[in-house]
Amino acid sequence: MENLHIKDILIKFEGEDLSKYGLFPLFAWYLVDYVHIPKRLKTLTVKRKRNNKNPIKRRKPQFTEAQLGIGLLCIILLGIKRLRKINRLLKTEVKIANLIGLKRFFDQSTAHRFLNEFQLWHLRQLEKIGDELARDFGEAFRQDIVVLDIDSTTHSVESRKREKAVVGYNKKNPGKPCYQWSVGFIRGEAIANKLYKGNTTCKEHLKDTLNLVTKKIPQPVSIVRLDGGYLSADLLDFIARKNLSVVMGARYDWVMAQKPKVDPDKWKAYDEKTMIYDLGMARVTSTVEREYRIIIVIKEQEPFKGDRRKKVKKVRYAIVENLPLRLDAFALYQFYCGRQTIENFFKEAKNPFNAGKMPSEKFRACEAYLQFVVIAYNLFEWFKKNFSPRSGDTIKWRPFES
């Protein structure tokens, strides 16, 4: 057994040595001695130029690619909102830097230069590192029945000079340039992700993510779960051609426009706030003749904190499926609700880990940053599963910032 990098961890707050990242040493041990992140990141060649004929003599850098990589992972995990805040927030955190193999944390300009030097082959190297970690410590690669959750989110950008940032589907900030970020999930682990221009369609997201996951996972994808934003006639035709088993959301008005027969006495109460009706086999849209199994859901939604409306809102939607095994309406509803993990991922990635703050004008640099976010997310999830005591059924996402 290898000698541990950190043998004993003593958390002590005293005078000028006070740090708001007091519990981070435990995670530093996990990164260095358990997961061996520094060793894995040595395969990155970001700062090595390919010029064999006329090699460029460079000054020896203060930080290697592995050190910059683990430094970025820790900056994300520590909840630093923007890279430009590194200097102010981490300048005095020398002890934390020592725990991950750095003499000190690098400054913001070094972090930006490192990300801006990423090219496509460097992204492939970083993606390979993430895949190796998932194989060694995750559960997604060990599934007999692979249930793949796919979803995407919009990243609004703060400048029109961002590469490939164009006006597209942007519900919260219409008319502003944006990116689309698609992620594929298996067993609560982010397995594949890709950044797109703002006007890229959901159908293209689905195809690319499905192909990426298929290449990585040894078992075939059994079931794909999607939200209602993916539903279209083209997508349903694509599903039929690929013989995919799909569970996906659908707009209530689209389904009801087909005038299905609904018996008011056959509504069933799932709980106090949720009613479910099993339509059986029916058409989803007027442009698709093929029928799918459909259930209708009516759910009472309490107003969110800070919302001006005080009335309970009724949310109506449908769930469409073509599974080989027929589930009863309640079981199908529960199975579809299991995809909420990916919804939580986007909330957590954008807020505690600040994935929404694009650090560069270069598209590849933004892709690299999001890949670091995905690796950090998976590492933290595996850490919670293996080392954190559970209280109840779930553990809230808590970055190390106090």
Side-chain angles (χ1 to χ4, degrees), residues 30 133-134 137-138 189 378-386:
Y30 171 73
L133 287 167
F137 302 101
E189 301 167 9
N378 284 338
L379 286 170
F380 198 80
E381 284 297 309
W382 300 326
F383 176 78
K384 290 192 296 183
K385 289 178 181 178
N386 293 302

Side-chain angles (χ1 to χ4, degrees), residues 198-377:
N199 57 357
T200 313
T201 62
C202 288
K203 183 181 176 183
E204 188 172 343
H205 297 178
L206 174 66
K207 287 182 177 180
D208 290 346
T209 307
L210 188 61
N211 288 334
L212 285 172
V213 173
T214 303
K215 292 177 181 177
K216 294 180 181 184
I217 302 295
Q219 298 85 0
V221 175
S222 302
I223 303 171
V224 180
R225 291 188 294 197
L226 305 167
D227 71 1
Y230 286 84
L231 183 62
S232 67
D234 291 339
L235 181 62
L236 293 175
D237 290 338
F238 172 77
I239 290 169
R241 290 196 305 271
K242 293 291 185 179
N243 292 321
L244 290 174
S245 296
V246 178
V247 178
M248 62 190 308
R251 287 180 54 172
Y252 176 82
D253 55 346
W254 285 12
V255 173
M256 299 309 292
Q258 310 311 311
K259 298 180 179 180
K261 295 181 180 179
V262 178
D263 186 350
D265 297 329
K266 291 185 178 180
W267 283 92
K268 295 182 180 179
Y270 177 78
D271 54 32
E272 294 180 355
K273 298 182 179 180
T274 308
M275 298 294 294
I276 295 177
Y277 187 92
D278 192 345
L279 271 180
M281 301 299 293
R283 292 176 61 183
V284 183
T285 66
S286 59
T287 55
V288 177
E289 295 292 336
R290 192 179 297 104
E291 293 186 343
Y292 291 83
R293 164 89 182 288
I294 302 174
I295 66 170
I296 302 172
V297 181
I298 299 179
K299 188 177 182 66
E300 292 183 0
Q301 187 179 77
E302 296 290 340
F304 297 106
K305 292 182 179 180
D307 196 339
R308 292 182 179 179
R309 64 177 178 86
K310 297 182 180 179
K311 294 182 179 179
V312 175
K313 180 181 178 181
K314 286 191 176 181
V315 179
R316 294 176 171 84
Y317 63 94
I319 299 175
V320 179
E321 59 97 343
N322 63 345
L323 299 177
L325 297 176
R326 185 180 178 89
L327 301 175
D328 64 60
F330 287 178
L332 179 60
Y333 174 73
Q334 291 174 344
F335 181 69
Y336 179 74
C337 289
R339 66 173 303 279
Q340 291 177 350
T341 303
I342 195 168
E343 301 285 356
N344 293 333
F345 164 77
F346 286 126
K347 293 178 183 178
E348 293 160 355
K350 283 188 174 183
N351 294 315
F353 282 178
N354 306 291
K357 307 295 189 298
M358 294 291 99
S360 174
E361 293 181 355
K362 293 187 176 182
F363 186 74
R364 295 297 185 200
C366 294
E367 282 187 300
Y369 180 73
L370 292 178
Q371 185 66 46
F372 276 113
V373 169
V374 167
I375 293 174
Y377 173 87

